[in-house]
Amino acid sequence: ADRAVVARNFPQAWIAKTAMETLPKKVQTLLERIGPLEGPPQIIHGPTGLEALAHFKLPENARDAVQTLHGTDLRTVAEKREVNFQAPKDSERFWLRIASDAGVSVPGVGAPGVQPPRAPVPPAPAPGMAPRRSRVKPNGVYLSPLPKNWAEPDVKILAGPYGNVTQVQMDDLEGGGRGALIDYSSEAAAAAALGNLNGLSLLGARLRCVMQQELEPERPLYRFIAFLDELAPLTRPTAEPRL
């Protein structure tokens, strides 16, 4: 638990609608200046807004990160210029704490053999296609653990109050229970679901709601092959005959 940290108060440039899909990567890059993480941070909606839950490989790195990064001003030059370079408010300073010290429950993070609920990993690229990185799917959330007898209609009843649900895909969890990939027709609906469903108590279980991950658009992998018989033959330089 001492390796888990929670971050808040991100720069506005990081959480703009067009930048949300890169937020996990930006937080990971920032934290890994101090030490390696177990994996990409999870973006959730906490009591004060967006939070990032990350897990360092070493507890000393987590402590160093808190001492080094907590309270720093990460605003962009443009954001500072908008307020005439005034000192940042407390709500604008990067906030980083050990999760257990902040009272943030991170079930399963760092425990041997136990992983926190997270959206399924996108499939590997098809043969002949370039490797693709994953990114946040702005209109999709992943919800778990749900009762093992739940199906799509049950999930739609639970998720419907926050927006128009366009698709539900069920996922069977190890050890029983189910998860659900929920797609909404808008990013605002997904954000509302994230904020209201995460931490909700359902039949004795505490639900975890995180943003879905999706692969970036496919990029064709081009290969160029040249055969030797297609290349121009080498020629010797010509010289005038001399006696």
Side-chain angles (χ1 to χ4, degrees):
D2 291 342
R3 293 181 287 167
V5 296
V6 58
R8 300 171 184 162
N9 298 355
F10 308 108
Q12 290 299 316
W14 291 18
I15 57 177
K17 179 182 293 188
T18 56
M20 273 297 297
E21 65 183 31
T22 62
L23 178 58
K25 183 62 178 177
K26 289 178 179 176
V27 176
Q28 182 176 6
T29 301
L30 175 66
L31 296 182
E32 287 192 332
R33 294 178 182 175
I34 309 299
L37 300 180
E38 291 285 356
Q42 289 180 288
I43 306 301
I44 64 173
H45 201 292
T48 61
L50 284 175
E51 296 181 344
L53 296 174
H55 188 238
F56 281 95
K57 291 186 176 181
L58 299 174
E60 52 265 34
N61 290 152
R63 293 191 295 268
D64 290 345
V66 170
Q67 294 177 359
T68 304
L69 299 174
H70 179 74
T72 55
D73 183 4
L74 300 179
R75 295 176 300 167
T76 64
V77 174
E79 291 177 77
K80 294 176 181 178
R81 187 181 294 114
E82 286 182 0
V83 294
N84 198 25
F85 294 94
Q86 294 180 5
K89 303 175 184 177
D90 289 342
S91 60
E92 295 173 328
R93 293 184 180 276
F94 187 63
W95 190 97
L96 188 69
R97 285 285 185 259
I98 301 294
S100 57
D101 294 345
V104 177
S105 176
V106 190
V109 173
V114 180
Q115 294 294 327
R118 62 178 61 190
V121 178
M129 301 303 295
R132 297 158 63 193
R133 294 180 298 179
S134 62
R135 63 184 185 185
V136 172
K137 186 176 183 177
N139 68 317
V141 298
Y142 180 70
L143 186 65
S144 66
L146 298 169
K148 60 182 180 181
N149 61 342
W150 270 40
E152 294 181 20
D154 305 297
V155 176
K156 287 183 177 180
I157 292 175
L158 180 63
Y162 309 107
N164 180 38
V165 177
T166 59
Q167 178 177 291
V168 174
Q169 182 178 344
M170 303 303 297
D171 176 43
D172 291 322
L173 305 177
E174 293 183 7
R178 309 198 78 185
L181 292 156
I182 307 169
D183 288 357
Y184 285 93
S185 59
S186 69
E187 298 178 17
L194 182 70
N196 287 277
L197 293 178
N198 187 53
L200 182 70
S201 180
L202 178 67
L203 301 178
R206 183 172 180 267
L207 297 182
R208 293 273 290 167
C209 188
V210 297
M211 298 300 294
Q212 288 185 38
Q213 300 287 319
E214 66 177 356
L215 292 175
E216 292 181 339
E218 290 186 343
R219 294 175 299 162
L221 187 62
Y222 296 101
R223 290 187 175 91
F224 298 93
I225 301 175
F227 295 94
L228 293 177
D229 58 357
E230 294 178 349
L231 299 177
L234 297 175
T235 58
R236 294 182 178 181
T238 59
E240 295 291 333
R242 302 175 63 182
L243 296 179

